[in-house]
């Protein structure tokens, strides 16, 4: 090797550790800037008091007369325990999220299963059709359901024209409309991880089960379903976690009877301008969401350990 080549190789080797450190540090920097710092700001506001000022809350840390004082207000969290509206909103959000996740799973699993059994060319087209609606604005897609579910909408006019009903069904601005909108909008988040799991399923295991005399339904319950557990957990987490804090769909489709914590947050921030109370509500919601996130991480860790074993 020439002297110039040796110097270039030596210089490249000196750059490799720094480049590796930069690549490793990038996701941590992303989490710091877009999660940790905003979380700390909201946490700080949750311990302040409402004030008629801009911003509309008092300072938590004050430096007066050469003394640094820390003014923590726990009243916002105490109010969450005494006001039943917040408890109802949390429970309603969790219920709607769980039911919507189960409905999305019941619809998404057969879709992912059928798509994974298609030929590669047909599989790509089917997956494109699943993802294609997501290319349109989320707000526009939700707004389109108003024209479908309205009393004079497409659904009621078709049902009346076919003679199935005599008068329009009242679907819009009900919890049922909110469920329909949530399942429609979040269905791709369920189908994608399920498809990614099912398409990698070893077909020889199914053939072995058939050769041993297992019926199709038993093969599905004993082979396919257990092996797709990681995809089910991933899909459920991707749907349930954002649905808990959903605001647009309940506001546009659900009506006043669909109480979710996202609407409470909006009301506290923009109607009441009580940023400390709204921040406390957001912190508690985040803590509640940590439970399924930890369950998901534990499931993924066990799956990884099982593959390595």
């Amino acid at each position: 090797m020439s002297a110039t080549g040796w110097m270039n190789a030596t210089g490249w080797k000196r750059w490799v550790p720094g480049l590796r450190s930069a690549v490793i540090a990038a996701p941590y920097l992303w989490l710091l800037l877009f999660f940790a710092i905003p979380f700390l700001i909201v946490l700080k506001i949750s311990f302040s008091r409402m004030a008629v000022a801009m911003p509309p809350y008092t300072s938590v840390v004050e430096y007066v007369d050469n003394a640094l004082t820390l003014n923590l207000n726990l009243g916002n969290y105490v109010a969450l325990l005494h006001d039943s509206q917040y408890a109802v909103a949390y429970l309603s959000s969790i219920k709607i999220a769980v039911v919507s996740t189960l409905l999305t799973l019941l619809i998404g699993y057969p879709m992912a299963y059928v798509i994974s059994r298609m030929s590669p060319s047909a599989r790509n087209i089917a997956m494109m059709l699943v993802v294609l609606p997501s290319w349109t604005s989320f707000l526009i897609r939700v707004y389109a359901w108003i024209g479908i579910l309205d009393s004079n909408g497409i659904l009621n006019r078709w049902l009346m024209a076919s003679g199935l009903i005599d008068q329009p069904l009242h679907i819009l601005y009900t919890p049922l409309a909110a469920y329909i909108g949530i399942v429609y909008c979040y269905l791709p988040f369920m189908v994608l991880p399920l498809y990614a799991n099912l398409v990698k399923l070893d077909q020889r295991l199914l053939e072995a089960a058939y050769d041993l005399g297992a019926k199709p339904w038993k093969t599905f319950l004993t082979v396919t379903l257990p092996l797709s557990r990681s995809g089910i957990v991933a899909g459920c987490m991707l749907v349930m976690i954002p649905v808990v804090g959903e605001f647009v769909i309940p506001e546009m489709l659900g009506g006043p009877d669909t109480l979710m914590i996202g609407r409470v947050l909006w009301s506290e921030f923009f109607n009441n301008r009580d940023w400390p109370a709204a921040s406390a509500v957001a912190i508690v919601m985040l803590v509640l969401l940590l439970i399924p996130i930890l369950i998901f991480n534990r499931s993924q860790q066990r799956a990884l350990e099982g593959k390595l074993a």
Side-chain angles (χ1 to χ4, degrees), residues 24-296:
I24 295 174
Y28 291 99
L29 181 62
W30 178 274
L31 290 175
L32 176 66
L33 292 176
F34 298 103
F35 178 78
I37 293 178
F39 172 78
L40 292 176
I41 293 174
V42 174
L43 182 64
K44 183 200 72 171
I45 297 175
S46 69
F47 287 109
S48 63
R49 290 180 174 82
M50 182 181 177
V52 183
M54 185 55 67
Y57 56 86
T58 60
S59 178
V60 175
V61 180
E62 295 181 348
Y63 184 76
V64 181
D65 297 333
N66 297 325
L68 189 65
T69 58
L70 185 63
N71 302 317
L72 296 180
N73 175 35
L74 299 178
N76 300 315
Y77 293 96
V78 174
L80 297 182
L81 298 176
H82 291 115
D83 194 340
S84 61
Q85 178 189 9
Y86 296 110
V88 171
Y90 282 121
L91 293 176
S92 177
S93 298
I94 294 173
K95 184 197 74 171
I96 292 174
V98 171
V99 174
S100 300
T101 302
L102 292 177
L103 293 174
T104 308
L105 178 61
L106 291 176
I107 298 173
Y109 196 101
M111 290 178 60
Y113 184 85
V114 171
I115 294 173
S116 66
R117 295 296 181 269
M118 294 180 176
S119 62
S121 58
R123 190 186 302 161
N124 294 333
I125 296 175
M127 288 306 301
M128 185 189 69
L129 294 176
V130 172
V131 179
L132 190 62
S134 301
W135 296 358
T136 309
S137 170
F138 184 86
L139 187 63
I140 293 176
R141 285 185 287 140
V142 175
Y143 193 80
W145 278 100
I146 297 178
I148 297 175
L149 301 177
D150 192 34
S151 298
N152 296 322
I154 298 174
L155 179 61
N156 275 309
R157 282 186 293 177
W158 178 80
L159 291 175
M160 294 181 68
S162 60
L164 297 176
I165 59 174
D166 298 327
Q167 57 184 3
L169 299 175
H170 179 62
I171 302 176
L172 189 61
Y173 306 128
T174 63
L176 177 60
Y179 284 120
I180 293 174
I182 291 172
V183 171
Y184 165 75
C185 291
Y186 287 93
L187 186 60
F189 295 96
M190 180 66 74
V191 174
L192 289 175
L194 285 172
Y195 165 78
N197 183 276
L198 291 171
V199 77
K200 296 184 296 184
L201 186 64
D202 191 350
Q203 299 298 318
R204 292 174 299 179
L205 299 175
L206 303 180
E207 294 174 359
Y210 294 143
D211 292 340
L212 293 174
K215 296 182 179 179
W217 64 268
K218 191 171 183 179
T219 302
F220 174 78
L221 293 178
T222 57
V223 179
T224 304
L225 192 60
L227 291 177
S228 61
R229 184 178 60 181
S230 60
I232 294 174
V233 174
C236 290
M237 293 300 102
L238 289 174
V239 173
M240 189 178 69
I241 291 174
V243 168
V244 171
E246 181 61 52
F247 167 74
V248 175
I249 297 175
E251 180 69 18
M252 297 184 65
L253 300 179
D257 294 334
T258 309
L259 180 62
M260 295 190 69
I261 201 64
R263 302 182 68 179
V264 175
L265 277 172
W266 172 273
S267 178
E268 293 289 357
F269 265 116
F270 298 102
N271 295 339
N272 302 336
R273 290 187 60 80
D274 192 348
W275 288 22
S279 299
V281 172
I283 292 297
V284 173
M285 182 180 68
L286 182 60
V287 172
L288 292 177
L289 290 178
L290 283 176
I291 298 174
I293 292 175
L294 292 175
I295 294 174
F296 171 68

